[in-house]
Amino acid sequence: MSASSLSFVHGFGGPSSSQSIPAVKKSDDCCSTHLIDGDGTFVDTGLEHFIKEVKLGECGLSQTTKGIWMARCAGIEPCTLVMDLEGTDGRERGEDDTAFEKQSALFALAVSDIVLINMWCHDIGREQAANKPLLKTVFQVMMRLFSPRKTTLMFVIRDKTRTPLENLEPVLREDIQKIWDSVPKPEAHKETPLSEFFNVEVVALSSYEEKEEQFKEQVATLRQRFFHSIAPGGLAGDRRGVVPASGFSFSAQEIWKVIRENRDLDLPAHKVMVATVRCEEIAKEKYSSFAANEEWCRMEEAVQSEIVSGFGKKLSGILNFSLSEYDAEAIYFDGGVRSAKRKQLEEKLLQLVQPAHQSMLGHIRSITLENFKEAFEKALNAGEGFSLAAITCTQNYMDKFDKGHADAVIEQANWDTSKVRDKLRRDIDAHITSVRAVKLSELTSSFEAKLNEALSGPVEALLDGANSETWPTIKKLLQRETESAVAGVSNALSGFDMDEQSMEKILTGLENYAKGVVEAKAREQAGRVLILMKDRFSILFSHDTDSMPRVWTGKEDIRAITKTARSSSLKLLSVMAAIRLGDDVDNIETTLSSSLMDIKNNTAVKDRSITMFDPLASSTWEEISSSRTLITPVQCKSLWRQFKSETEYKVTQAISAQEAHKRNNNWLPPPWAIVALAVLGFNEFMTLLRNPLYLGVIFAGFLLFKALWVQLDISGEFRNGALPGLLSLSTKFVPTIMNLLRRLAEEGQKPITTTDPGRNPAPVTRNFQNGSSSTSDSSSSSSSSISSPKEGNEYSSALKDD
């Protein structure tokens, strides 16, 4: 918008306030309006209409003079407005003209760049000229301004006489200087010259009535001086504190209101007030326009759920557009106010977009963190070292965040977004710490599981077969497996870039875990020691050196076998009594052996005084700490007592079985009885030899006795003792005799099978073992037996043997 000026002509006379004149007059090349009526009422509707008609708002900076009538100068560039005031000596006002005169003068001074003062040529040099009171008023008001503002005072000498202008101008300037000197000045402007406040110009016009053509030429020349009056060196002064054209209506109304209320005119304050009001209105309009911008609304909605590509650049462009529109409309207002309101507008706009910007950064941070987690996990799964993967992924994704943040930066904002970046870094570090803890836990758990598998089974087996080499073997096993696990963990931890102290802590924990596995298994087995002792006793007592079950034939030394089995069980108890993973030597086995197995010593102890010390009457072992103790001495004594009680029955059973076997195998009479029978029964023996029939009867009786022996299982019945055997035989004897007789009868009643003479007879076999007879023809087979199914085999064998 090009700068423009308001030029005001102060003339005499003019239309009377009583005339009926429309608010706005238009012609082909001119437009005018009634600004202030004769009663001093400001015609604001007419002024607003006038501004629209002449498009004053598009003219940039312009200023008007004070007057009753205002019009746009035709053909003068830039846009120039002229106001025509009442004359200072008009007769219409009469004696009351001084008030309105001063008001109009103040108004003209406040709103004008150029004030044209018409003077009669013959008034120059006169003390009581009509314009002297006006000049005093103008100068006095100017003294109340806090900062000089040059206004051009153009004195137009009307009806110039023959006196040359070169002679009239010095006189006029002298009169003006005298008026300036006579006006009371405030302390700040005691020495301020007239030239600081006014540019004084003097022109002369011939009489219109006498020299019309010359008058018109001179007016045309004067008119030319108003072209480009606001350019450097132009007629319009320095133009400090001018009001933009768009604020002219409001400014003029406020100035006139102050003047009508007889207040002192404070131009700087008024300029700031106008600029404040108008800049606020412009800022409000631009804020509303931005808030309703479709592109901004779409971005604001989209950024709530996702990242908007080019967010910062797009939003900066919209903000720049709004601010540039503000600058274009507010450029001509007071610079301080304009800048302050622009800053406020910018702050409000940034406050409006800040939530969206925060959402954008939040999305960038969240997505960057998720992508980091995924990439970090992939790197670890690919076998990359933990520390290297953490450093690489952290650097990569912090750089990606910085790029995303740069894309979201708003040019106009100077927000500190370091907190968002710091939050991302803290989240990444926290995730790395969490994953580190999980990976270390998984690593240690894996090796702990391997240690548990490598130690639990072998330690249990070694403790089950406890002997003198059990704990040294366990110690070697523990050392070997621990060293292997520590080496594996150390190699795995090298990728974590851990400090020596932390690594040492993990390795020590693994060693302690391995030791704990052994100790836990030892305690578990110690809780089963009684069962293990009984199992060992049972195995050693019931099996020979070849691991074959013992048959108690009477030749075995049960006492020695029992002692050996008990000694081995006591050995197991001594091994289980304490954990021996160190190099310490203890006497547990000796103490247990001397206290529990040495019978002579135990008998001697019983014979002594009851005050004699019992080595097992204690809750601790010598040279064994309580933490390594599995079974206390007093517990060992109690366990041994229970062990002996529960194994006594097995020993008793063995003795009984041995005695029963002896009885079963001693069925022949003693040798002396056999000799006596031979001597005393010689005659009867000879009788049998002389009569063979007796031998047949005896043989038949032997067969019957043998069959009864097998059928009744006499040796088996007497295995458990004589009395139980007799009782059992008494119940089975008669039924067995009857069964034998019945079968013999059945065999005797079977018919003899005849064969066809023309055929060979089929062989007939009788199977006494199975109690049936059969031929080659299955259809003629029949069954017969003289023994029960249970005893058939033995009975048949006996028959065959005999």
Side-chain angles (χ1 to χ4, degrees), residues 395 628 680:
Q395 184 62 45
R628 293 168 50 204
L680 295 176

Side-chain angles (χ1 to χ4, degrees), residues 15-33:
S16 172
S17 61
S18 61
Q19 293 176 319
S20 177
I21 300 175
V24 178
K25 289 183 178 181
K26 293 183 63 178
S27 63
D28 294 340
D29 59 353
C30 183
C31 179
S32 62
T33 184

Side-chain angles (χ1 to χ4, degrees), residues 448-459:
E448 286 174 356
K450 292 179 180 178
L451 279 173
N452 188 62
E453 182 179 358
L455 293 175
S456 293
V459 169

Side-chain angles (χ1 to χ4, degrees), residues 563-744:
K563 184 175 181 181
T564 301
R566 285 181 176 175
S567 296
S568 181
S569 299
L570 187 65
K571 177 70 175 180
L572 187 148
L573 179 62
S574 67
V575 171
M576 291 288 192
I579 297 173
R580 301 174 179 90
L581 295 177
D583 297 328
D584 299 336
V585 179
D586 59 75
N587 58 354
I588 294 178
E589 184 177 359
T590 303
T591 303
L592 289 177
S593 179
S594 62
S595 300
L596 301 177
M597 290 295 296
D598 193 347
I599 299 176
K600 295 180 180 179
N601 185 49
N602 290 343
T603 304
V605 170
K606 292 180 180 178
D607 295 340
R608 295 175 188 174
S609 173
I610 60 173
T611 60
M612 183 67 182
F613 173 73
D614 183 358
L616 298 182
S618 173
S619 60
T620 59
W621 297 103
E622 293 182 3
E623 302 176 353
I624 299 294
S625 63
S626 59
S627 61
R628 293 168 50 204
T629 300
L630 299 177
I631 306 172
T632 62
V634 68
Q635 289 174 336
C636 288
K637 187 174 183 179
S638 176
L639 285 170
W640 184 254
R641 186 183 301 112
Q642 186 176 356
F643 165 75
K644 288 184 64 178
S645 174
E646 295 183 7
T647 56
E648 286 291 344
Y649 178 75
K650 189 175 288 294
V651 176
T652 303
Q653 285 290 95
I655 295 174
S656 299
Q658 197 176 57
E659 291 176 352
H661 189 276
K662 289 180 181 180
R663 285 193 302 270
N664 292 336
N665 291 332
N666 289 341
W667 56 276
L668 292 175
W672 62 267
I674 294 175
V675 172
L677 287 174
V679 172
L680 295 176
F682 178 78
N683 294 330
E684 286 77 7
F685 179 71
M686 294 303 297
T687 302
L688 292 175
L689 292 176
R690 293 187 186 100
N691 192 353
L693 181 61
Y694 288 151
L695 291 176
V697 173
I698 292 173
F699 181 70
F702 173 75
L703 292 177
L704 179 62
F705 177 78
K706 184 66 175 180
L708 288 175
W709 183 276
V710 173
Q711 288 286 325
L712 294 175
D713 190 20
I714 293 175
S715 61
E717 295 292 344
F718 281 94
R719 188 178 296 117
N720 296 324
L723 182 59
L726 291 174
L727 292 176
S728 178
L729 291 175
S730 65
T731 60
K732 297 168 58 178
F733 182 77
V734 175
T736 303
I737 294 295
M738 296 302 294
N739 186 39
L740 289 175
L741 293 176
R742 180 176 59 77
R743 293 194 177 193
L744 287 173

Side-chain angles (χ1 to χ4, degrees), residues 372 379 384-399:
F372 166 82
E384 189 173 346
F386 185 92
S387 180
L388 179 61
I391 294 173
T392 303
C393 291
T394 299
Q395 184 62 45
N396 289 343
Y397 282 89
M398 288 305 296
D399 291 343

Side-chain angles (χ1 to χ4, degrees), residues 27-46:
S27 63
D28 294 340
D29 59 353
C30 183
C31 179
S32 62
T33 184
H34 201 175
L35 182 62
I36 300 174
D37 63 17
D39 296 329
T41 303
F42 195 94
V43 186
D44 54 348
T45 56

Side-chain angles (χ1 to χ4, degrees), residues 138-392:
V138 170
F139 292 162
Q140 190 170 356
V141 171
M142 290 305 297
M143 289 299 100
R144 292 202 294 269
L145 298 179
F146 294 104
S147 60
R149 171 183 174 271
K150 282 190 177 182
T151 302
T152 299
L153 298 180
M154 179 173 283
F155 291 87
V156 181
I157 302 174
R158 301 290 298 275
D159 298 341
K160 176 180 174 296
T161 62
R162 293 181 179 180
T163 305
L165 180 60
E166 291 77 6
N167 295 338
L168 295 174
E169 184 175 351
V171 177
L172 180 58
R173 288 184 179 276
E174 184 180 354
D175 290 342
I176 295 172
Q177 186 63 47
K178 289 180 179 179
I179 297 172
W180 175 261
D181 294 337
S182 64
V183 171
K185 302 177 182 66
E187 194 66 30
H189 297 294
K190 286 288 187 181
E191 304 298 330
T192 303
L194 175 66
S195 59
E196 288 293 321
F197 285 88
F198 297 101
N199 286 329
V200 179
E201 296 285 340
V202 180
V203 296
L205 297 177
S206 302
S207 173
Y208 176 76
E209 294 179 354
E210 296 178 359
K211 300 177 181 179
E212 180 179 355
E213 292 300 327
Q214 189 177 359
F215 176 83
K216 290 180 178 181
E217 290 177 2
Q218 293 172 346
V219 169
T221 301
L222 177 62
R223 175 184 177 86
Q224 290 299 319
R225 297 188 64 182
F226 285 90
F227 280 89
H228 305 293
S229 58
I230 63 173
L235 193 61
D238 60 7
R239 294 178 51 77
R240 285 178 290 175
V242 296
V243 176
S246 60
F248 172 67
S249 177
F250 176 78
S251 174
Q253 291 183 63
E254 290 298 315
I255 290 173
W256 184 249
K257 181 179 178 181
V258 172
I259 292 173
R260 293 288 288 179
E261 293 176 358
N262 296 320
R263 299 178 184 174
D264 291 339
L265 184 61
D266 187 355
L267 290 180
H270 172 73
K271 177 186 64 175
V272 171
M273 177 189 66
V274 173
T276 301
V277 174
R278 283 295 297 138
C279 288
E280 285 180 353
E281 290 177 353
I282 297 172
K284 184 177 180 181
E285 178 185 348
K286 300 313 168 187
Y287 179 86
S288 300
S289 177
F290 177 89
N293 184 277
E294 292 184 2
E295 186 177 3
W296 153 245
C297 292
R298 287 196 300 269
M299 291 175 60
E300 184 182 25
E301 182 179 359
V303 81
Q304 301 303 318
S305 57
E306 62 183 1
I307 292 178
V308 177
S309 179
F311 177 85
K313 185 176 182 180
K314 293 177 182 178
L315 192 54
S316 297
I318 302 173
L319 288 170
N320 274 334
F321 179 76
S322 297
L323 293 173
S324 63
E325 282 193 330
Y326 169 86
D327 292 338
E329 294 189 29
I331 188 172
Y332 301 115
F333 288 100
D334 179 78
V337 175
R338 180 178 69 247
S339 298
K341 295 303 175 182
R342 188 187 193 279
K343 184 177 181 181
Q344 291 178 8
L345 172 62
E346 186 175 355
E347 290 176 352
K348 289 182 65 177
L349 291 175
L350 292 177
Q351 186 177 2
L352 176 64
V353 304
Q354 189 173 25
H357 182 259
Q358 290 295 327
S359 298
M360 180 70 176
L361 293 182
H363 290 317
I364 295 174
R365 183 190 64 81
S366 299
I367 292 177
T368 303
L369 180 61
E370 292 303 319
N371 292 339
F372 166 82
K373 292 179 180 179
E374 183 178 351
F376 186 47
E377 187 66 24
K378 287 182 179 178
L380 294 179
N381 294 337
E384 189 173 346
F386 185 92
S387 180
L388 179 61
I391 294 173
T392 303

